[in-house]
Amino acid sequence: MKKLILKIYGNDVIRYVFWGGLTTLVNLVSFYLMRLADVPLMTANVISIILAILFAYVVNSRFVFHDHCETLIDHIRPFVKFISARLATMVIEVGGVWLLAVAMGLNDMIAKFCTQFIVLVLNYIFSKFLIFTTGKKAGGRK
């Protein structure tokens, strides 16, 4: 059983879905808690996304794509690319939540949840092919 779990976890898509699920949980739980505390909709949305982005960088770099950054300086380029890509998907998420919750009148948690699917797919594509590439081009390591 342990070998099967390790084999399944060896697939970066599976790892991304697992850690992406936890990232989504960070996003949704922090959003929910802030809304319970009467933080305005868009403020809670932006703060929850920022918390999720910071969590996602750490887990994606370390556990999903096994980026081979040996020093803090090595992390600067992928971190800047990661933040840039996440800001692009943040615009999609903020706009999507606004469109679904404010313009269309959906419950804000449902609107937030619906936007997560599009954001998850785009973030995987950006991370896999544009951001976490250290050690993959030279030397073929994963």
Side-chain angles (χ1 to χ4, degrees):
M1 185 64 151
K2 183 179 178 180
K3 285 184 182 182
L4 176 61
I5 291 170
L6 290 174
K7 183 178 181 181
I8 291 170
Y9 191 73
N11 182 306
D12 66 359
V13 173
I14 299 297
R15 288 190 310 269
Y16 186 80
V17 169
F18 174 77
W19 290 105
L22 291 179
T23 300
T24 300
L25 195 60
V26 167
N27 192 339
L28 292 173
V29 169
S30 60
F31 178 76
Y32 178 75
L33 292 173
M34 284 184 278
R35 292 298 287 148
L36 278 179
D38 290 324
V39 174
L41 174 68
M42 299 314 283
T43 303
N45 194 27
V46 170
I47 292 171
S48 68
I49 293 167
I50 290 168
L51 292 173
I53 287 171
L54 295 173
F55 176 80
Y57 177 77
V58 173
V59 298
N60 282 330
S61 176
R62 185 173 181 134
F63 302 119
V64 177
F65 298 107
H66 303 290
D67 210 28
H68 297 285
C69 295
E70 296 178 12
T71 67
L72 186 59
I73 299 293
D74 292 342
H75 279 284
I76 291 174
R77 184 175 177 149
F79 184 74
V80 169
K81 291 188 329 187
F82 186 83
I83 295 299
S84 298
R86 294 296 167 119
L87 287 175
T89 58
M90 181 178 166
V91 169
I92 293 167
E93 186 172 346
V94 169
V97 168
W98 179 86
L99 178 68
L100 294 172
V102 177
M104 296 177 70
L106 271 166
N107 173 279
D108 56 357
M109 282 305 296
I110 293 171
K112 179 79 170 168
F113 186 76
C114 289
T115 61
Q116 294 305 294
F117 293 103
I118 296 166
V119 169
L120 183 74
V121 171
L122 289 173
N123 285 337
Y124 176 79
I125 291 168
F126 292 150
S127 292
K128 170 106 176 144
F129 299 107
L130 300 175
I131 299 164
F132 298 113
T133 58
T134 304
K136 293 177 185 164
K137 292 176 184 167
R141 295 177 298 176
K142 278 192 169 183

